């Protein structure tokens, strides 16, 4: 059996300070950053999804950020294929692969493998997506909650792509996503150390409010207006993200800016809470304070020496 490829995974809730921590690790271990966040893949929303800026991406190589169109979709299987290629490319460049983000599904897939869900007929997906377009994500999320409460609790009620996927799989196989994910996984070629940014929700909440203000100052509203020129369908995958969905309502006149910001903060806080709940259940994560670079470096050094 070939030796597994070492990767470093830096995770935590939105706004916790992963970017600064990643720069420290890249400088210390000659690393390259690979995106581990399902929202930071969208091309039209670099500010709203808090993608690394052009200046930040000059610090070290970055991969898998801002490449997907608003109307396009990416699931965990496609992400695994792209991340695997990016990891190999990063190693070929002589760099340590550093996976950074807040999507727990992606972390689990990389280090534990994928659920062996059979390929389902496209008609099930088409029906779910047509229903989503007609009814909206919140009612569909309620349907999923009745069928698979554990999985529904892990995803946002605006996450139309994952809601449709979970419902389509259940209707096609008779088994829930939670059931499939509890079955033996496909093997993964990677071994990783998992570092988590250790913040509480109370510590994070005021930072999230300031972060939204900074995003607006940086041009988030203008970014959303420009994206609307290319795609005005609120059911598109890119528009379903937190910040994007709320700004869509503002720029189309459905709510005031103050209401938009209040809802954006509420939804961001709720998302951060779900992320913390997910990651706290992962007993493999080593928790470190946002600026405790000494501990981060020590744990990565120990991992690489194994």
């Amino acid at each position: 059996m070939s030796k597994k490829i070492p990767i470093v995974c830096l995770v935590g809730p939105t706004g916790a300070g992963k970017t600064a921590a990643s720069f420290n690790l890249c400088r210390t271990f000659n690393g390259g950053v690979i995106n581990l966040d399902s929202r930071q893949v969208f091309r039209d929303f670099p500010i709203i999804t808090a993608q690394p800026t052009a200046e930040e991406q000059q610090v070290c190589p970055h991969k898998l950020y801002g490449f997907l169109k608003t109307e396009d979709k990416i699931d965990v299987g496609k992400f695994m294929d792209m991340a695997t290629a990016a990891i190999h490319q990063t190693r070929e460049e002589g760099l340590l692969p550093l996976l950074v983000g807040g999507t727990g599904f992606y972390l689990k897939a990389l280090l534990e493998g994928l659920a062996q869900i059979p390929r389902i007929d496209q008609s099930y997906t088409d029906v779910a997506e047509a229903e989503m377009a007609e009814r909206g994500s919140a009612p569909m999320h309620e349907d999923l909650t009745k069928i698979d409460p554990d999985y529904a609790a892990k995803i946002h009620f605006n996450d139309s792509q994952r809601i449709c996927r979970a419902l389509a799989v259940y209707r096609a196989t008779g088994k829930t996503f939670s059931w499939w994910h509890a079955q033996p996984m496909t093997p993964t070629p990677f071994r990783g150390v998992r570092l988590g940014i250790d913040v509480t929700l109370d510590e994070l909440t005021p930072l999230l409010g300031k972060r939204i203000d900074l995003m607006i100052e940086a041009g988030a509203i203008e970014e959303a207006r420009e994206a609307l020129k290319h795609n005005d369908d609120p059911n598109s995958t890119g528009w379903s993200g937190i910040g994007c969905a709320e700004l869509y309502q503002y720029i189309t006149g459905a709510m005031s800016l103050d209401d938009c910001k209040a809802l954006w903060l509420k939804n961001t806080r709720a998302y951060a809470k779900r992320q913390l709940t997910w990651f706290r259940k992962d007993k493999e994560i080593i928790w470190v304070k946002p600026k405790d670079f000494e501990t981060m470096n020590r744990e990565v050094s120990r991992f690489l020496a194994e």
Side-chain angles (χ1 to χ4, degrees), residues 43-197:
R43 182 186 305 167
D44 288 336
F45 305 109
I47 297 171
I48 302 168
T49 62
Q51 296 175 35
T53 65
E55 293 76 16
E56 288 172 335
Q57 294 194 38
Q58 293 299 313
V59 175
C60 58
H62 284 65
K63 294 181 174 64
L64 302 189
Y65 290 94
F67 62 88
L68 199 68
K69 293 180 181 178
T70 301
E71 61 271 20
D72 288 346
K73 302 173 183 178
I74 184 169
D75 59 24
V76 69
K78 292 178 182 177
F79 166 78
M80 274 289 288
D81 291 341
M82 299 181 75
T84 297
I87 289 168
H88 286 300
Q89 183 181 354
T90 300
R91 283 169 54 83
E92 289 169 2
E93 294 167 353
L95 303 174
L96 175 67
L98 175 60
L99 284 294
V100 180
T103 301
F105 290 123
Y106 287 2
L107 174 69
K108 185 177 178 66
L110 275 172
L111 297 182
E112 300 175 24
L114 286 171
Q116 299 189 50
I117 300 173
R119 192 178 296 273
I120 66 172
D121 191 278
Q122 181 63 34
S123 62
Y124 289 97
T125 302
D126 292 342
V127 168
E129 290 180 348
E131 190 177 352
M132 176 67 70
E134 180 180 347
R135 298 177 59 207
S137 59
M140 296 281 282
H141 188 266
E142 289 180 11
D143 290 350
L144 181 60
T145 300
K146 295 173 185 176
I147 295 167
D148 189 357
D150 290 341
Y151 182 73
K154 296 172 183 175
I155 62 175
H156 192 266
F157 65 83
N158 277 338
D159 195 337
S160 58
Q161 181 181 353
R162 288 197 176 97
I163 294 169
C164 286
R165 170 67 174 159
L167 289 171
V169 166
Y170 174 74
R171 291 165 180 173
T173 67
K175 303 291 185 181
T176 66
F177 247 35
S178 294
W179 186 90
W180 283 111
H181 289 152
Q183 306 311 302
M185 301 288 184
T186 54
T188 171
F190 308 116
R191 68 179 185 92
V193 61
R194 312 181 196 197
L195 300 178
I197 302 298

Side-chain angles (χ1 to χ4, degrees), residues 9-27 33-38 40 49-50 52 56 60 62 65 98-104 195-199 204 208 211 271-272 275-276 279 287-291 293 296:
C9 300
L10 180 64
V11 299
T14 184
K18 295 185 292 294
T19 298
S22 71
F23 291 163
N24 160 69
L25 292 172
C26 281
R27 285 190 292 263
V33 172
I34 300 169
N35 179 31
L36 194 68
D37 190 288
S38 63
Q40 293 183 335
T49 62
E56 288 172 335
C60 58
H62 284 65
Y65 290 94
L98 175 60
L99 284 294
V100 180
T103 301
L195 300 178
I197 302 298
D198 187 13
V199 293
L204 199 56
L208 296 177
R211 191 171 186 238
Y271 178 53
Q275 287 177 303
L276 283 168
F279 289 126
W287 292 98
V288 291
K289 291 298 181 183
K291 295 184 180 180
F293 299 154
M296 296 179 200

Side-chain angles (χ1 to χ4, degrees), residues 231-273:
N231 183 307
D232 62 359
D233 180 5
N235 293 312
S236 291
T237 313
W239 281 116
S240 69
I242 297 170
C244 301
E246 294 80 3
L247 281 172
Y248 183 95
Q249 294 185 68
Y250 167 64
I251 62 178
T252 56
M255 65 168 55
S256 68
L257 181 57
D258 286 344
D259 287 344
C260 167
K261 290 171 61 177
L263 184 60
W264 187 353
L265 177 57
K266 177 184 176 182
N267 289 338
T268 303
R269 186 182 186 279
Y271 178 53
K273 183 177 181 180

